[in-house]
Amino acid sequence: MLLRLPTSLSEAQRYLAEGAVPVGGATLVWALWQRDGFPEQAMSLRELPQANLREREALGAAVLLHQLDDRMPEVLRRAAATVGTGAVRRTATVGGNIVGSTLRCLLPAALVLDARATVLDRDGTCETDLAEVVAKRHLLLGLRWRDPVTSGYYKAPGEAGGPPPLVVATAVHAGSDGRPRLFVAVRDGYEVTSESIVCRSGPDHTLEALDRTGLGSLPAPAREAVRREVTRTLNRSPDR
């Protein structure tokens, strides 16, 4: 197998056109390749500057999970810190987790940041939403978002080899109309559900409004976790 390491977008586009298979940290595909056979060409973005950004409101797809630091919002840092073992986090990439993994532990965090994705194909780069990235398995270059007022992340205890543990991600953003807006994303099993609402006066009224969204149909344990995490996040917000 020939591993391509582009250092420019034009190189990456050319390798895609030649049939190179995108690969992140290879933590997910290596075993499959050993079983099913290796592709003739693979491509890693680890040498591509645009895929290695680490800023307060931007993160590259080739960044390793253990590299997320204090420049990142709390919800994103905590999500990355819960993925696998330390050895996995030193190899797995942001893009591989969001696009290549069935668990997508970073996806709820990215959703509550209201993140937009920059993707690359043979025609160039474009910006799109995370739902399309996941559905069409685009080659992710990076994420950009608005810095939240506050955020939080909860991941229930889980057993190795067991079902995916419940995840609740929350964030409060300053609204364009001056009213703070609450974003909530929940991974229940393999499904991720997200909603956003204008914050009401007090956590109780906000929770009542949240119950009237799609999150209100979650199983009781998930709804209870949402209520707990939303209350914590709202109580930390200076706009409460």
Side-chain angles (χ1 to χ4, degrees):
M1 180 182 72
L2 179 62
L3 179 62
R4 300 290 196 177
L5 297 170
T7 58
S8 68
L9 291 175
S10 59
E11 273 190 306
Q13 284 178 262
R14 186 171 75 251
Y15 296 148
L16 282 177
E18 294 173 356
V21 178
V23 59
T27 56
L28 298 168
V29 300
W30 194 260
L32 295 177
W33 285 350
Q34 286 181 312
R35 185 192 67 191
D36 301 332
F38 288 81
E40 291 185 8
Q41 296 185 66
M43 181 176 70
S44 168
L45 302 181
R46 68 190 186 202
E47 302 295 335
L48 188 65
Q50 294 91 333
N52 283 279
L53 291 176
R54 280 189 292 161
E55 301 173 358
R56 184 64 192 174
E57 295 186 340
L59 181 62
V63 174
L64 303 178
L65 298 187
H66 81 100
Q67 294 177 318
L68 272 68
D69 54 27
D70 289 346
R71 286 172 287 185
M72 304 292 111
E74 178 183 348
V75 63
L76 202 54
R77 295 198 317 270
R78 290 177 60 185
T82 66
V83 176
T85 64
V88 169
R89 293 190 292 274
R90 288 190 293 273
T91 305
T93 63
V94 170
N97 182 272
I98 291 177
V99 182
S101 170
T102 56
L103 296 178
R104 301 186 177 97
C105 298
L106 297 188
L107 180 58
L111 286 169
V112 300
L113 291 176
D114 200 20
R116 296 285 292 174
T118 302
V119 300
L120 175 69
D121 60 24
R122 298 179 184 184
D123 298 321
T125 63
C126 67
E127 187 178 276
T128 186
D129 58 51
L130 288 165
E132 181 169 322
V133 172
V134 171
K136 297 185 178 179
R137 299 180 69 85
H138 286 301
L139 175 54
L140 181 66
L141 283 179
L143 303 171
R144 291 190 177 274
W145 58 83
R146 298 178 299 130
D147 197 19
V149 175
T150 188
S151 62
Y153 184 85
Y154 167 76
K155 187 175 185 178
E159 298 180 2
L166 175 71
V167 165
V168 179
T170 54
V172 174
H173 291 267
S176 57
D177 60 356
R179 295 185 296 174
R181 193 167 190 89
L182 171 69
F183 288 72
V184 182
V186 178
R187 186 189 72 190
D188 185 35
Y190 290 97
E191 297 298 320
V192 177
T193 306
S194 62
E195 296 285 353
S196 71
I197 60 170
V198 173
C199 292
R200 305 300 199 271
S201 56
D204 289 342
H205 291 114
T206 301
L207 287 168
E208 289 175 5
L210 198 62
D211 281 340
R212 294 191 290 271
T213 70
L215 296 178
S217 61
L218 289 169
R223 292 201 309 274
E224 183 177 342
V226 168
R227 294 182 66 86
R228 182 184 66 245
E229 296 305 310
V230 166
T231 300
R232 287 177 179 173
T233 299
L234 291 177
N235 284 338
R236 293 168 56 193
S237 172
D239 298 315
R240 69 183 186 275

